[in-house]
Amino acid sequence: MGKVLVFGHKNPDTDSITSSLVIANLERKLGNNDVEACRLGNVNKETEYVLNYLKLEAPTLINDVEDGTEVILVDHNSPEETVSNINNAKILKIVDHHRLCGLVTDTPLYFRAEPVGCTGTIMYKLYKENGIEIDKKIATLMVSAIISDTLLFKSPTCTELDKKVGIELSRIAEIDLEKYGMEMLKAGTDLSSFSIDEILNLDAKETLLKSVKTVINQVNTASIPEVMKMKDDLERGMNKIINEKGLDLFVLLITDIVNSNSQVIALGKNADLVEKSYGVKLEDNTALLKGVVSRKKQVIPIMTENA
Ligand code: MG
Ligand code: MG
Ligand code: MG
């Protein structure tokens, strides 16, 4: 048997990258030495900040897995978000905080899903349950994921447990939550080195809202007007992707991490679904969605209901 490969979802975010590293570490502590943290895409700027802070290498980049490979999935469980050969791999474990949406396995597996804001929070519990000490590095990885997924505890996805665990981990990590957290989140808003196509792919999720074929992409910023300067180019890129993928709707959320709002740009024949879902009028394809920061809690379910 080859190595067990651990990975999070495509277009990896901080939770996907850090949880791969963290669970690989836990597996080793539990005696499973043949485990390798991997990733299914480029490391974003926010995660890069975390890895640089800890002087850690990014997990190994893989595009797919060979038949029979043993894998552990973190921060996802959907077929669309994982390797394409997942049905011929052997899933040993899944640790996740998303809804179930379609993976089927041939054999029993360890499956741990909790409705919390971040995989990092579940990882913390796994260390505790196994009596494994959390060192400074591991604590920093976990708390970074919690800061990222909960936008520093401000997202409606954030539970009391995420907050409690985040504060506890920040002590072990010896970081100032507010200072480190804002620096980390702000690092993730630097779009200067990306092309329009890259920006439109950084955190894109393809999903069906009932029968409406949709891509929802989220870009964090500290200044909505700064990102809106690129609106014409973004729309050109969005229309190109709509044509290529045969989408009914492309939703771009430009999320202000300081004030907790999102400016939405919506294109495609079902763009009115945004108007219907939020009671807003799109002007020039765009509107401000006050208080909306979570794709998982405030976008996908609400738009599905209205589709
Ligand atoms: Mg994620
Ligand atoms: Mg996550
Ligand atoms: Mg995310």
Side-chain angles (χ1 to χ4, degrees):
M1 258 296 130
K3 274 188 184 166
V4 176
L5 304 185
V6 186
F7 45 87
H9 54 76
K10 288 180 186 167
N11 299 332
D13 54 12
T14 297
D15 191 24
S16 270
I17 298 289
T18 59
S19 292
S20 304
L21 293 164
V22 167
I23 203 171
N25 179 271
L26 177 63
E27 288 291 316
R28 275 181 223 114
K29 300 264 182 193
L30 295 172
N32 180 7
N33 284 312
D34 244 0
V35 54
E36 184 173 12
C38 298
R39 61 187 161 100
L40 304 184
N42 292 333
V43 170
N44 69 31
K45 296 270 179 184
E46 181 194 278
T47 314
E48 199 176 284
Y49 176 91
V50 179
L51 296 175
N52 287 342
Y53 180 87
L54 291 170
K55 300 187 176 63
L56 281 179
E57 294 285 320
T60 314
L61 179 65
I62 59 169
N63 292 312
D64 215 332
V65 297
E66 284 171 25
D67 287 359
T69 307
E70 293 185 318
V71 300
I72 295 174
L73 310 187
V74 291
D75 194 37
H76 74 299
N77 72 72
S78 90
E80 289 79 25
E81 287 192 289
T82 200
V83 290
S84 60
N85 196 28
I86 194 69
N87 288 329
N88 298 317
K90 184 166 193 283
I91 304 175
L92 300 181
K93 297 185 183 188
I94 299 177
V95 181
D96 189 24
H97 67 124
H98 292 89
R99 71 194 177 102
L100 299 184
C101 48
L103 274 187
V104 172
T105 62
D106 296 331
T107 50
L109 74 160
Y110 177 93
F111 186 71
R112 179 73 173 260
E114 292 193 35
V116 291
C118 181
T119 311
T121 303
I122 310 171
M123 290 296 167
Y124 171 88
K125 291 176 87 176
L126 291 178
Y127 273 69
K128 290 285 169 193
E129 288 164 17
N130 285 289
I132 305 291
E133 200 196 328
I134 298 171
D135 65 24
K136 198 171 159 179
K137 223 170 222 187
I138 293 295
T140 308
L141 288 169
M142 289 175 176
V143 73
S144 298
I146 295 172
I147 293 165
S148 172
D149 270 8
T150 68
L151 292 177
L152 205 44
F153 311 134
K154 281 191 291 195
S155 167
T157 58
C158 184
T159 66
E160 276 310 307
L161 184 67
D162 296 303
K163 199 163 177 187
K164 200 173 137 227
V165 168
I167 290 167
E168 164 68 14
L169 287 169
S170 73
R171 288 200 194 102
I172 305 171
E174 293 174 41
I175 56 161
D176 178 329
L177 264 175
E178 198 64 36
K179 185 170 172 287
Y180 174 88
M182 277 323 280
E183 268 173 28
M184 188 200 99
L185 290 172
K186 284 207 170 132
T189 66
D190 175 14
L191 299 173
S192 58
S193 66
F194 297 113
S195 69
I196 292 291
D197 286 346
E198 283 167 335
I199 292 170
L200 291 173
N201 250 304
L202 280 177
D203 187 12
K205 279 200 202 301
E206 197 168 333
T207 182
L208 277 177
L209 305 170
K210 293 204 183 111
S211 62
V212 181
K213 197 174 172 198
T214 307
V215 164
I216 306 175
N217 182 27
Q218 188 165 30
V219 173
N220 286 348
T221 185
S223 161
I224 288 173
E226 206 45 50
V227 181
M228 288 299 276
K229 284 183 190 161
M230 297 185 280
K231 182 167 176 283
D232 290 347
D233 291 331
L234 288 168
E235 288 190 359
R236 246 190 306 279
M238 288 164 71
N239 278 322
K240 198 176 86 188
I241 296 169
I242 288 171
N243 290 331
E244 280 165 10
K245 297 192 172 211
L247 300 176
D248 303 313
L249 175 61
F250 193 127
V251 175
L252 173 61
L253 295 165
I254 302 160
T255 299
D256 180 336
I257 55 166
V258 182
N259 300 302
S260 302
N261 295 313
S262 291
Q263 186 77 33
V264 64
I265 302 176
L267 293 177
K269 69 174 164 46
N270 287 81
D272 63 336
L273 181 53
V274 171
E275 300 188 321
K276 215 170 116 193
S277 301
Y278 298 97
V280 293
K281 188 102 198 83
L282 290 172
E283 273 172 50
D284 217 2
N285 309 316
T286 184
L288 182 69
L289 306 181
K290 288 204 181 112
V292 172
V293 294
S294 168
R295 173 170 51 196
K296 192 202 254 184
K297 279 230 161 149
Q298 296 171 298
V299 180
I300 292 175
I302 290 163
M303 289 186 55
T304 302
E305 202 180 296
N306 285 286

